[in-house]
Amino acid sequence: MRSIHRARQQGAIMLMTMIIMLVLLFSSLFVMEMAIFEEMAVSNEQKGLQVYQVAYSELDGQYKYLIDNPSVLLDAKASNVSLTIVQDQTGCPNSTQICQTATLRYIGEVPPPPGYSLGKYMGLMFEIDSVATLLKAGAQSSQTLGFIYVNTL
């Protein structure tokens, strides 16, 4: 009788141990799944910030280039001008690199900024659109910079 009672106790202990092991297994699988999900979310956010920074940096480079080359600005009065990428001129050879485009758009004439004579100067308003795309991740950032170029009448 003792051996039957002892066998039942051992069977109950083994059953409880298996239940505890199953609970631990499923909880560890859940934790691992959440860790993978969070890693992917962080990776996507990092790629989004990367393309944002590339697009934003391109605006600064384009602005400096255009101020040094006003003839490009005057050409843009006729139609939008696709600009050569300043920051990374390698282009977009494969899907693991960031592809960029930059466009200069003429908006119209505006009064010159304070400090300029209205009779001698006019303001020309432009926008630079910079778009950076990481094809592999599907991340894209589009940034725009508006500025006024002062020209003589």
Side-chain angles (χ1 to χ4, degrees), residues 61-119:
Q62 290 294 345
Y63 178 74
K64 289 175 184 172
Y65 168 77
L66 291 170
I67 295 303
D68 293 340
N69 298 287
S71 62
V72 178
L73 291 172
L74 299 177
D75 290 344
K77 286 178 70 176
S79 67
N80 294 347
V81 174
S82 293
L83 300 170
T84 303
I85 300 302
V86 174
Q87 300 295 323
D88 181 15
Q89 299 176 354
T90 60
C92 187
N94 60 53
S95 65
T96 61
Q97 292 183 318
I98 296 176
C99 302
Q100 295 182 69
T101 61
T103 306
L104 176 65
R105 182 177 29 216
Y106 174 67
I107 304 300
E109 292 183 13
V110 296
Y116 288 90
S117 171
L118 287 174

Side-chain angles (χ1 to χ4, degrees), residues 4-152:
I4 294 174
H5 183 63
R6 189 173 196 163
R8 282 185 183 170
Q9 283 181 334
Q10 287 178 345
I13 290 172
M14 287 179 68
L15 181 62
M16 288 299 291
T17 303
M18 287 185 69
I19 291 172
I20 290 171
M21 288 180 69
L22 281 173
V23 168
L24 290 174
L25 173 69
F26 287 122
S27 65
S28 63
L29 287 174
F30 176 74
V31 168
M32 188 174 73
E33 214 33 61
M34 288 302 295
I36 291 170
F37 174 74
E38 288 177 10
E39 185 273 331
M40 289 174 65
V42 168
S43 176
N44 287 342
E45 183 66 25
Q46 185 178 22
K47 289 172 184 170
L49 289 172
Q50 183 182 9
V51 294
Y52 165 79
Q53 185 60 46
V54 168
Y56 192 76
S57 295
E58 185 65 24
L59 289 178
D60 187 46
Q62 290 294 345
Y63 178 74
K64 289 175 184 172
Y65 168 77
L66 291 170
I67 295 303
D68 293 340
N69 298 287
S71 62
V72 178
L73 291 172
L74 299 177
D75 290 344
K77 286 178 70 176
S79 67
N80 294 347
V81 174
S82 293
L83 300 170
T84 303
I85 300 302
V86 174
Q87 300 295 323
D88 181 15
Q89 299 176 354
T90 60
C92 187
N94 60 53
S95 65
T96 61
Q97 292 183 318
I98 296 176
C99 302
Q100 295 182 69
T101 61
T103 306
L104 176 65
R105 182 177 29 216
Y106 174 67
I107 304 300
E109 292 183 13
V110 296
Y116 288 90
S117 171
L118 287 174
K120 294 182 180 180
Y121 298 96
M122 70 174 167
L124 303 174
M125 185 165 206
F126 293 93
E127 280 185 352
I128 305 170
D129 294 324
S130 174
V131 178
T133 306
L134 181 57
L135 297 176
K136 184 178 180 182
Q140 182 177 30
S141 181
S142 177
Q143 303 298 316
T144 302
L145 171 70
F147 65 96
I148 296 174
Y149 177 73
V150 179
N151 200 8
T152 58

